[in-house]
Amino acid sequence: FDPKFFFKYSIGITEFDHQPQEIVLVFDAVIGKLIKNQPIHHTQTILADTSKGLKIGLKLLITKELLQMILSYGSHVTVEKPAILKHEVIARITA
């Protein structure tokens, strides 16, 4: 376990044994303004910023806390990639 590496690419404290993933999230315009002004993580980059919404990129380990954070935005966020994260969010919503 390398804590320096782990916390560089993590939201939360859940241990995970995979490499950081390139994550793309799309937020509606209202929540997009919040995300732009209060970034989710230091790896956050803005990929697109329009009147319809905000698309961001993140480089993170997929952890339980990341999943819970995404779910907390409800219908205001869409996971574009990676597919494994998108499928996990859908599975939690439809369970």
Side-chain angles (χ1 to χ4, degrees), residues 66-75 77 88-90 92-93:
L66 173 63
L67 183 58
Q68 290 301 316
M69 185 272 308
I70 292 169
L71 291 168
S72 76
Y73 290 107
S75 63
V77 65
E88 185 62 31
V89 168
I90 292 169
R92 297 283 177 106
I93 292 170

Side-chain angles (χ1 to χ4, degrees), residues 16-81:
F16 208 74
D17 60 352
H18 293 91
Q19 291 299 311
Q21 301 288 313
E22 297 294 332
I23 296 168
V24 176
L25 303 176
V26 180
F27 293 90
D28 66 25
V30 174
I31 300 298
K33 288 179 185 177
L34 172 71
I35 298 300
K36 193 165 55 170
N37 291 312
Q38 296 179 355
I40 292 171
H41 193 261
H42 67 88
T43 61
Q44 178 174 314
T45 58
I46 295 175
L47 303 176
D49 185 8
T50 70
S51 61
K52 293 186 178 188
L54 179 74
K55 181 187 282 194
I56 64 166
L58 300 158
K59 186 171 183 177
L60 293 171
L61 296 163
I62 297 175
T63 62
K64 291 179 183 178
E65 291 88 352
L66 173 63
L67 183 58
Q68 290 301 316
M69 185 272 308
I70 292 169
L71 291 168
S72 76
Y73 290 107
S75 63
H76 301 282
V77 65
T78 302
V79 177
E80 281 198 353
K81 70 180 218 181

